[in-house]
Amino acid sequence: MIPDLTPLVGFTYDLGALAAALTMVMLYIDDEVKSQAADKLALWFGDKPAEPKS
């Protein structure tokens, strides 16, 4: 990554790079991947979703 010459410019660059990376990841998550993730979570933690805490 580019060294931070000034803190604001460096953080802006980092946020832009992070946004681009998250966008690329989101493009590859389709229904098949979501289904596989749900199956794996059910295997690891059981079928019952966690109850929200109040």
Side-chain angles (χ1 to χ4, degrees):
M1 296 227 139
I2 298 173
D4 297 343
L5 299 175
T6 61
L8 184 60
V9 174
F11 288 131
T12 303
Y13 173 79
D14 293 342
L15 286 176
L18 181 62
L22 288 175
T23 301
M24 289 301 296
V25 169
M26 286 175 30
L27 290 174
Y28 287 97
I29 297 177
D30 57 7
D31 290 336
E32 180 183 352
V33 173
K34 290 177 185 177
S35 175
Q36 290 175 351
D39 291 344
K40 187 60 74 171
L41 284 172
L43 178 68
W44 287 350
F45 299 109
D47 292 332
K48 183 178 178 185
E51 296 292 324
K53 294 180 181 179
S54 34

